[in-house]
Amino acid sequence: MTVPVEVVFERRGAGTPLVLLHGIGHHWAAWSPVLDRLAEAHDVIAVDLPGFGRSPVPAAGLPADMPGLVTGIVELFAALGLERPHVAGNSLGGAIALELAASGAVSSATALSPAGFCTPRELRWALTVLSLHRNAARLPEPVLRTLFANPALRTLALGMILARPNRMALAEALADARALRDAQAFRAVARAGRRYAFAGAPAVPVTVAWGTRDRILPYRQAALARTRLPAARHLDLAGCGHVPMHDDPELVASVILGTTGARET
């Protein structure tokens, strides 16, 4: 499904709107493990960010910086008739969620292992690891299928991103590899984000939740997030990796619903 700003998304449920934003090289299906649970309480819109998943690169080109990305999401809100929805994001999407909260464009924000709290060296590490995964995703699909079908090899292939790779179905692993391989905006967004650091001060409810086994943006970065966002709710996602939706769907859904107020915390 598309809207005038050419962003592809999946929409389920009813209630107050909740927009879900994925990380660099990912797609809306990253949220599949928690989508139906969230849709029990919200009108959930999981987005393919411009240049990722099935969303094309905008005709005017990709935003050059984080303010441009945020502006594009606010335009999407307007196109969908959303007024200050709740938002949740992972990695790059977590950073966008926090920026939206700081701008006053959303009612609440949940950021799962968000970008913006790492040193330049840590950021180079994260982008290098993801770039290597992207190169590996260019292997012929029969090779990838064989790789992901073997539990030990799947752990080797996905263990940097997921703490529990064998909880991901084969079809999901293949779809994620395709999304990373075909991500037209990967290089441009990675380049634009090299000097990014979050420095906002949201005035709406915010939760920052970090996987304790995150190997892309390591858990130690949660300490800096606590310092920069003292008014936020900070939680550990015990035993989870960088994309916690697959590692512990019930925990992630509970954290998001606690932020939106749909579930008591």
Side-chain angles (χ1 to χ4, degrees):
M1 188 173 186
T2 59
V3 295
V5 289
E6 294 189 291
V7 171
V8 175
F9 60 92
E10 173 75 4
R11 192 167 193 170
R12 299 182 193 174
T16 54
L18 168 63
V19 178
L20 304 178
L21 306 172
H22 61 74
I24 187 171
H26 228 155
H27 54 159
W28 74 257
W31 298 97
S32 292
V34 299
L35 206 53
D36 287 338
R37 176 70 182 87
L38 297 175
E40 293 173 4
H42 290 285
D43 171 16
V44 182
I45 304 102
V47 174
D48 276 348
L49 292 170
F52 296 100
R54 292 188 294 116
S55 290
V57 173
L62 291 165
D65 50 24
M66 181 60 77
L69 283 172
V70 171
T71 296
I73 298 301
V74 172
E75 290 174 353
L76 173 64
F77 292 167
L80 292 172
L82 306 178
E83 184 175 351
R84 299 185 72 245
H86 300 283
V87 66
N90 173 225
S91 194
L92 168 66
I96 297 172
L98 291 175
E99 294 288 352
L100 288 164
S103 74
V106 297
S107 293
S108 75
T110 305
L112 309 174
S113 293
F117 300 95
C118 54
T119 66
R121 182 177 180 179
E122 288 171 334
L123 181 56
R124 286 195 299 272
W125 159 261
L127 293 175
T128 297
V129 172
L130 292 173
S131 294
L132 290 172
H133 276 76
R134 190 166 185 242
N135 290 337
R138 295 190 174 100
L139 289 168
E141 186 152 319
V143 175
L144 290 174
R145 185 177 293 276
T146 300
L147 184 69
F148 293 146
N150 182 294
L153 293 177
R154 183 188 301 190
T155 296
L156 183 64
L158 301 178
M160 292 297 294
I161 296 173
L162 303 173
R164 298 158 179 155
N166 289 317
R167 292 191 176 184
M168 176 180 276
L170 174 60
E172 291 174 321
L174 288 169
D176 277 9
R178 293 187 207 105
L180 182 57
R181 178 195 66 198
D182 298 336
Q184 299 177 66
F186 184 93
R187 288 185 180 178
V189 172
R191 186 166 54 249
R194 284 176 184 164
R195 293 179 177 83
Y196 171 72
F198 180 77
V204 299
V206 166
T207 297
V208 178
W210 224 288
T212 60
R213 294 175 62 190
D214 193 330
R215 300 176 72 184
I216 301 295
L217 297 176
Y219 171 69
R220 62 179 176 270
Q221 294 175 21
L224 181 56
R226 291 174 188 271
T227 299
R228 290 188 184 168
L229 291 166
R233 179 177 68 144
H234 294 269
L235 300 174
D236 294 347
L237 300 176
C240 291
H242 186 59
V243 182
M245 298 84 81
H246 285 281
D247 286 328
D248 196 333
E250 184 56 38
L251 175 60
V252 170
S254 176
V255 167
I256 294 172
L257 294 174
T259 312
T260 67
R263 176 172 178 170
E264 292 186 6
T265 57

